[in-house]
Amino acid sequence: MTTIKQDDLIQSIADALQYISYYHPADYIKALTGAWEKEESPAAKDAMAQILVNSRMCAEGHRPICQDTGMVTAMLKVGMEVRWDAGMSLEEMVNEGVRQGYNNPDNVLRASVVSDPAGTRLNTRDNTPAVIHTRIVPGDKLEISLAAKGGGSENKSKFTVLNPSGSLVDWVLNTVPTMGAGWCPPGILGIGIGGSAEKAMLLAKESLMEHIDIHELMARGPANRVEELRLELFEKVNALGIGAQGLGGLTTVLDVKIRDYPTHAASLPVAMIPNCAATRHVEFTLDGSGPAVLAPPKSSDWPEISLAGGAGARRVNIDGITREEIASWKPGESLLLSGKLLTGRDAAHKRIQDMLARGEPLPDGVDFNNRFIYYVGPVDPVGDEVVGPAGPTTSTRMDPFTEMMLGETGLIGMVGKAERGPAAIESIKKHGAVYLMAVGGAAFLVSKSIRASRMVAFEDLGMEAIREFEVEDMPVTVAVDSQGTSVHQTGPAEWRVKIAER
């Protein structure tokens, strides 16, 4: 009979969430390194290099891989013979572990969970509650799988119920391109087949906890229909040419995971959930001997990569820049930005929209005329940091506000991640503005280019407040130029043809 102590479970959860905030799984590093080594698209190769360099920096500095430190999913298998030395419920213990893990003063993690989701959407300030799935199983141990899933990839989750004779492969190949690049490829696709609607989604999420083994499967060959589907989808999804960060290239997914379950004879439920470049999950077992001990990865797990100080990139000072200057920037061109830019994302844009609609002036210091905005919600700084990890958020969420910002505030440039939609692109072209892309999954690396940060407005919005960053050599790519050409359209189209011709 095993007795598990309350404090051991709480500490294990807290330690594990810290662990996955700054350590990529070793299998992910290995798979991404292999993809980086064979990548032929310069833009995609550079994006993967940034992700790998960021990964090593985070492991060494114990700071988050991504500024979106995720919403916690905990999957628990509780042995039927386990006894508890605890005054809290199981859910209360898990959530206390989340609370302590996210509020660790040595590595503060961003609190992203909001209560009253259809109403006031108030931040809970400690990233609780977690999403908890519990199973009672034979045995005398507690098995725990933890994941911290960011909103950018979770928002791209898909579900459908196909006819039993329908083609799952066709649905996946038609659906993946509609997901854009906001899920920060290259990553992993988790697919759940069968059961009911909610079971299929859970199967897809569970599959993402598995380790990357597609190349081992390719070497030994498939043993069943699920493994056949994994291999077929791995080849065909990569043949779409979407590539790292959606820039076009050879690798879009590093693995395809599938779990299935018996279903109704009239149904074929299918769920698909992507994992992003900030893949974060860990598994451990408690047996009553104390809290979990998690071994750090080896330094040899990472390849030796130098970003060469932005070799070949154009250095640009955005202070006082003109529309004529940004008109010379070419789609896909690498830039190193220096100067001052304002930050803001969903909540700030909505507040600006409401103020302008009421005829109110914007707060003191909020002047977007001939300036750039960075779509970011940074992690709080620790120690002598100017700002914590500060990677870009998904830009399409700001598309509804783009015409307002470009037409009414004088804004001339935006920095974020992933593609822009048709209306936003048309607005960029109309106003002779520009959209620049920073690499999602390289948040700590990006933060090192931020030399100063000050609060400007909407402090009550927390990580969504408007700040002013002073940056030096911040690496970005021209994603939509002033003529409306989008590399997220031209890049994948080019590489889809190149891959098909091989």
Side-chain angles (χ1 to χ4, degrees):
M1 190 76 68
T2 296
T3 299
I4 295 177
K5 296 179 179 179
Q6 174 175 297
D7 288 348
D8 288 347
L9 175 54
I10 291 172
Q11 182 180 335
S12 297
I13 296 287
D15 290 349
L17 291 171
Q18 281 285 307
Y19 181 96
I20 62 177
S21 78
Y22 46 71
Y23 288 144
H24 265 129
D27 59 317
Y28 180 85
I29 300 167
K30 179 181 178 181
L32 185 60
T33 299
W36 168 73
E37 289 173 340
K38 74 174 186 179
E39 184 57 67
E40 298 172 13
S41 163
K45 193 176 185 74
D46 177 68
M48 285 190 278
Q50 289 190 46
I51 294 168
L52 286 165
V53 169
N54 180 76
S55 177
R56 178 189 285 274
M57 290 172 60
C58 294
E60 293 172 347
H62 285 194
R63 293 296 275 138
I65 293 166
C66 180
Q67 80 288 338
D68 184 346
T69 50
M71 184 174 184
V72 177
T73 297
M75 298 180 178
L76 312 176
K77 293 182 181 178
V78 184
M80 297 172 70
E81 298 174 43
V82 167
R83 296 180 64 87
W84 295 94
D85 180 4
M88 293 180 173
S89 71
L90 184 55
E91 286 196 359
E92 287 172 337
M93 286 186 279
V94 171
N95 282 321
E96 181 58 28
V98 173
R99 184 174 294 110
Q100 292 186 17
Y102 274 73
N103 288 332
N104 186 317
D106 295 327
N107 181 41
V108 178
L109 306 181
R110 197 184 83 185
S112 299
V113 173
V114 296
S115 62
D116 190 16
T120 57
R121 295 182 66 85
L122 292 177
N123 196 301
T124 64
R125 301 294 182 183
D126 57 13
N127 224 53
T128 64
V131 176
I132 303 170
H133 303 280
T134 305
R135 292 175 57 193
I136 305 298
V137 299
D140 63 352
K141 295 179 175 59
L142 171 61
E143 298 178 27
I144 301 175
S145 294
L146 278 182
K149 191 85 156 44
S153 60
E154 189 73 359
N155 289 349
K156 302 300 182 180
S157 302
K158 303 295 180 182
F159 174 78
T160 191
V161 180
L162 299 173
N163 289 327
S165 61
S167 171
L168 178 148
V169 172
D170 286 349
W171 178 76
V172 170
L173 296 179
N174 289 331
T175 303
V176 169
T178 71
M179 290 159 49
W183 61 281
C184 285
I188 298 135
L189 286 183
I191 296 174
I193 306 172
S196 53
E198 79 281 6
K199 180 65 173 179
M201 293 301 289
L202 181 57
L203 290 168
K205 183 62 69 70
E206 288 175 338
S207 75
L208 292 174
M209 304 288 197
E210 298 174 9
H211 294 285
I212 297 172
D213 66 351
I214 195 72
H215 294 291
E216 289 87 340
L217 176 56
M218 293 170 68
R220 68 171 170 81
N224 51 50
R225 178 56 181 154
V226 163
E227 292 184 346
E228 290 173 353
L229 283 170
R230 285 183 61 199
L231 292 174
E232 182 178 2
L233 287 170
F234 179 75
E235 177 184 356
K236 290 183 175 179
V237 170
N238 282 326
L240 294 172
I242 294 168
Q245 303 291 299
L247 295 169
L250 298 177
T251 300
T252 302
V253 291
L254 300 172
D255 203 343
V256 176
K257 295 297 188 181
I258 300 177
R259 287 196 178 187
D260 64 356
Y261 193 85
T263 191
H264 192 286
S267 303
L268 181 57
V270 182
M272 180 164 60
I273 305 177
N275 240 4
C276 65
T279 292
R280 290 172 296 224
H281 66 88
V282 69
E283 301 76 37
F284 57 90
T285 300
L286 297 183
D287 60 8
S289 61
V293 177
L294 302 172
K298 304 180 182 69
S299 60
S300 58
D301 289 340
W302 286 272
E304 292 296 332
I305 298 177
S306 171
L307 297 179
R314 188 198 305 206
R315 281 185 161 82
V316 173
N317 189 325
I318 57 174
D319 291 339
I321 199 165
T322 65
R323 294 180 190 272
E324 289 71 28
E325 289 177 82
I326 66 175
S328 69
W329 299 350
K330 305 300 181 186
E333 184 177 5
S334 296
L335 305 177
L336 294 173
L337 299 187
S338 295
K340 295 178 180 178
L341 72 168
L342 295 170
T343 75
R345 35 183 285 163
D346 314 56
H349 280 76
K350 180 63 168 64
R351 191 169 291 184
I352 290 169
Q353 183 183 60
D354 291 344
M355 293 179 74
L356 293 177
R358 293 192 297 265
E360 298 175 5
L362 297 181
D364 291 341
V366 181
D367 182 2
F368 291 105
N369 192 50
N370 288 335
R371 298 192 69 182
F372 280 66
I373 191 170
Y374 182 27
Y375 302 146
V376 63
V379 175
D380 289 341
V382 297
D384 60 357
E385 288 181 341
V386 168
V387 67
T393 196
T394 306
S395 300
T396 48
R397 298 204 312 274
M398 268 52 74
D399 282 5
F401 306 103
T402 300
E403 175 59 28
M404 172 196 72
M405 294 296 292
L406 297 182
E408 298 184 45
T409 73
L411 187 75
I412 62 172
M414 299 154 284
V415 184
K417 78 170 183 181
E419 74 285 347
R420 305 305 299 264
I425 292 174
E426 183 59 34
S427 184
I428 291 168
K429 180 180 179 180
K430 172 184 173 183
H431 295 283
V434 69
Y435 167 60
L436 310 175
M437 190 208 79
V439 172
F444 196 37
L445 176 65
V446 171
S447 73
K448 294 304 181 184
S449 66
I450 301 171
R451 303 301 187 221
S453 171
R454 70 179 182 90
M455 183 66 65
V456 174
F458 307 156
E459 187 172 2
D460 62 298
L461 296 180
M463 60 98 172
E464 296 215 45
I466 296 179
R467 296 171 171 83
E468 182 180 71
F469 286 169
E470 184 172 345
V471 301
E472 181 178 337
D473 288 346
M474 178 180 174
V476 295
T477 299
V478 180
V480 181
D481 73 353
S482 62
Q483 301 302 309
T485 301
S486 169
V487 296
H488 287 101
Q489 296 172 357
T490 60
E494 174 188 348
W495 281 93
R496 190 160 51 247
V497 172
K498 287 183 177 181
I499 293 170
E501 291 176 345
R502 289 171 179 261

